[in-house]
Amino acid sequence: MSLLIKNGTIVNDDSMFKSDVLVLDGKIVEISPSIEPLPGLEIVDATDRLVIPGGIDPHTHMQLPFMGEIAKDDFHRGTEAAVAGGTTMIIDFVIPTKGESLLVAYDRWRGWADPKVVCDYGLSMAITSWGPEVAKEMEMVTKADYGINSFKFFLAYAGVFMVRDEEFYQGMIQCAKLRALARVHAENGAVIAERYLRNWKLRLLSVHALWLLKQTVHYTLFMSCQKGAAAAIAHHRKKGAVVFGEPIAAGLATDGSHYYHEDWLHAARYVMSPPLSRDPTTPNALMKLLAAGELHLTATDNCTFDCHQKSLGKDDFTKIPNGVNGVEDRMSVVWDKGVHAGIIDPMKFVSVTSTMAAKIFNCYPQKGRIAVGSDADIVIWNDKATRVISKDTHHHAIDFNIFEGMQVHGVPETTICRGRVVWANGQLRTVQGAGRFVPLAPDSQIVFSAVDNRGKALEPVKVERAPYEATSALAAPDANANTVVKTPARTAIPPGGIISIQF
């Protein structure tokens, strides 16, 4: 795991510069313009290439049991697809069944992932039930032994994953106490359940969650965004809410026109939750919001089901397993639709595909940066190369690709995980189980330092007032005058003053 990257241009979220990179024992140990190679070093030539931090996909569902099926990309195939696309870390979701212990579900996910992953991974925890025991276990899993620092709440999937408003609210309060991130699948589950039989997978993206956000202050939101959701995020950020938006690769490169395709199976392949917007301007609009900083990082919601599994819903559309691919193609899609299109620069690309996720999930600068002391999760990126996305060449375990036939600019030529080359020359060089679990600690400063300062600004203010004296708003008329003498009016204030709280 010792190598030297020569002659490349390093791109971090805040700078670009030419330099060599020396990696020893999985860590970056030197960054200098001209490093002499030591005997035994593997040399990676990055001439005319960009040297970027490995991508971090903060939203995946590998081998998820869902709707009576199991997602085809397990932790082996899914992480192989990830590294082939330039992603060196994923954050997957532990999703307990209703009433199940968080600890039992956690152990199950670790048992699935640890023997299979070819790159590093972290975990987020879904909250599907509520009660004192759940709150207690939330506290337990945020400890170092478990390494969970975020909790997801589903406002959809009634009867399966969905929590009620009061449970959602209590869960967010607990997140605030634990200084953990609250993540939300923001749809109106009750409305969806009512209208299932009237509409094709109606998904009403709800700003209701954002209203609850305002009431709790300590809250971080993630959404697979459409334009309306992005506008809601921007609106509440302008009011001081600590809220982040997460568009996914599918939403940045495709749209809901596929749902109207004459071929039923073609349409079914794109079924996901929330659904793709049928407004064809949405992908470009989302990319511009990333450029403007109103959306903040990109993910995939990678949850793959093959054509056979999708076809299980041919007689009942509610039985189509929800989910699409993306973990292999996200980096190229974002480069093509963002950098190549002239909407974002390479530094912003690094931010939205890697650095911001590392900061929010509190593993920066271990991840998300090319710097001395950081993990050697590195991608040699050819910004001038193109590739055509196809099911025939991808590394997913499914027989279609929602980006089929799309030519994208920007290609990961070499992927390095903790100093080991795992993808080069179009070939995988992975070892099953070589990836590590990365514990994610609470109290991310990019989130909670802002929350702390906001909390201070919103602290109750005691108003000192003179002792209350009962007076009449209007004095009695002077019998010898034709005018009425007015005295200052006073509001009845309880002794000791009042408490004023502003939101």
Side-chain angles (χ1 to χ4, degrees):
M1 294 193 295
S2 300
L3 57 85
L4 177 60
I5 302 170
K6 294 286 293 180
N7 307 317
T9 297
I10 294 173
V11 184
N12 281 317
D13 69 316
D14 58 356
S15 60
M16 295 178 63
F17 56 96
K18 288 187 175 296
S19 193
D20 296 346
V21 181
L22 179 62
V23 173
L24 298 176
D25 298 324
K27 294 283 187 180
I28 298 171
V29 298
E30 184 179 353
I31 297 175
S32 300
S34 184
I35 302 175
E36 290 298 319
L38 300 173
L41 282 179
E42 182 177 357
I43 307 298
V44 178
D45 184 10
T47 302
D48 298 325
R49 304 291 189 266
L50 304 179
V51 180
I52 65 174
I56 300 173
D57 186 342
H59 190 156
T60 67
H61 298 286
M62 303 304 180
Q63 68 188 77
L64 175 68
F66 184 50
M67 298 181 71
E69 294 295 311
I70 298 176
K72 283 294 184 179
D73 284 338
D74 67 2
F75 281 95
H76 180 218
R77 289 292 294 270
T79 53
E80 284 198 326
V83 300
T87 288
T88 56
M89 180 179 175
I90 64 168
I91 299 177
D92 208 81
F93 286 87
V94 176
I95 306 184
T97 58
K98 275 202 177 286
E100 183 181 25
S101 162
L102 307 188
L103 307 184
V104 170
Y106 175 92
D107 288 342
R108 185 164 67 252
W109 253 261
R110 288 292 304 271
W112 287 340
D114 287 349
K116 295 182 179 180
V117 290
V118 305
C119 66
D120 287 0
Y121 80 104
L123 290 172
S124 186
M125 176 72 73
I127 301 300
T128 58
S129 306
W130 188 252
E133 189 61 31
V134 173
K136 180 181 177 181
E137 289 188 340
M138 285 176 68
E139 182 176 1
M140 292 176 65
V141 299
T142 57
K143 305 299 184 185
D145 288 346
Y146 290 91
I148 298 287
N149 71 356
S150 63
F151 298 93
K152 182 174 182 177
F153 301 86
F154 288 90
L155 302 187
Y157 303 118
V160 183
F161 300 148
M162 191 175 88
V163 293
R164 301 189 305 272
D165 287 352
E166 65 272 22
E167 296 172 327
F168 179 34
Y169 183 77
Q170 290 299 321
M172 288 193 295
I173 291 174
Q174 180 69 348
C175 285
K177 291 178 181 177
L178 299 174
R179 297 178 76 82
L181 306 176
R183 309 175 72 179
V184 61
H185 180 112
E187 299 184 272
N188 194 322
V191 172
I192 291 168
E194 287 295 318
R195 300 192 66 180
Y196 248 144
L197 300 180
R198 293 178 54 197
N199 295 277
W200 171 260
K201 283 289 186 185
L202 178 68
R203 297 298 186 197
L204 298 180
L205 187 56
S206 175
V207 297
H208 176 59
L210 282 165
W211 180 85
L212 287 172
L213 172 156
K214 187 177 179 182
Q215 314 310 309
T216 55
V217 183
H218 296 186
Y219 176 55
T220 303
L221 173 74
F222 287 74
M223 290 195 291
S224 301
C225 292
Q226 298 187 25
K227 286 196 294 187
I233 290 171
H235 171 76
H236 284 273
R237 284 185 67 89
K238 288 172 184 176
K239 290 190 172 186
V242 181
V243 51
F244 300 93
E246 173 200 273
I248 64 172
L252 292 166
T254 62
D255 61 56
S257 62
H258 294 282
Y259 299 137
Y260 300 89
H261 199 280
E262 291 181 358
D263 180 350
W264 181 93
L265 184 56
H266 178 100
R269 290 167 182 159
Y270 291 81
V271 169
M272 55 181 293
S273 308
L276 296 166
S277 171
R278 57 182 173 181
D279 180 350
T281 68
T282 295
N284 188 254
L286 294 179
M287 185 59 70
K288 289 180 178 177
L289 290 169
L290 283 167
E294 294 189 354
L295 298 176
H296 309 90
L297 70 170
T298 61
T300 62
D301 199 7
N302 192 96
C303 188
T304 56
F305 299 96
D306 63 20
C307 289
H308 171 73
Q309 291 171 307
K310 291 282 188 177
S311 295
L312 296 175
K314 60 184 173 58
D315 297 321
D316 180 354
F317 67 88
T318 67
K319 300 295 193 299
I320 302 171
N322 292 194
V324 296
N325 61 282
V327 73
E328 182 168 357
D329 300 314
R330 176 183 66 117
M331 300 282 281
S332 290
V333 162
V334 175
W335 184 276
D336 186 83
K337 304 300 182 183
V339 183
H340 181 72
I343 298 174
I344 62 174
D345 60 57
M347 292 175 287
K348 189 69 170 181
F349 169 78
V350 166
S351 176
V352 302
T353 59
S354 181
T355 307
M356 185 58 80
K359 289 179 178 180
I360 290 172
F361 289 95
N362 214 12
C363 56
Y364 179 87
Q366 176 189 356
K367 306 290 187 183
R369 189 165 185 86
I370 306 294
V372 172
S374 297
D375 286 350
D377 289 352
I378 301 169
V379 174
I380 311 303
W381 189 265
N382 188 338
D383 60 321
K384 298 177 177 61
T386 63
R387 68 184 181 93
V388 176
I389 299 173
S390 174
K391 64 179 177 60
D392 297 326
T393 54
H394 72 197
H395 296 82
H396 294 281
I398 55 172
D399 47 3
F400 67 93
N401 190 305
I402 63 167
F403 309 113
E404 185 69 35
M406 186 180 298
Q407 179 176 279
V408 288
H409 296 77
V411 173
E413 289 189 337
T414 304
T415 303
I416 300 163
C417 292
R418 288 188 185 262
R420 297 185 63 228
V421 175
V422 293
W423 168 261
N425 302 315
Q427 299 294 321
L428 289 167
R429 293 165 54 177
T430 58
V431 175
Q432 192 169 177
R436 300 182 190 176
F437 175 69
V438 179
L440 302 172
D443 200 20
S444 165
Q445 288 307 295
I446 197 173
V447 177
F448 286 97
S449 60
V451 166
D452 290 341
N453 290 332
R454 187 180 183 219
K456 291 175 184 177
L458 296 178
E459 283 180 353
V461 177
K462 182 177 180 179
V463 179
E464 299 293 344
R465 299 181 185 275
Y468 172 70
E469 295 178 2
T471 59
S472 173
L474 296 177
D478 187 335
N480 299 318
N482 294 323
T483 61
V484 174
V485 179
K486 295 183 179 180
T487 59
R490 285 196 173 186
T491 303
I493 308 293
I498 64 170
I499 300 297
S500 174
I501 302 176
Q502 289 185 317
F503 285 90

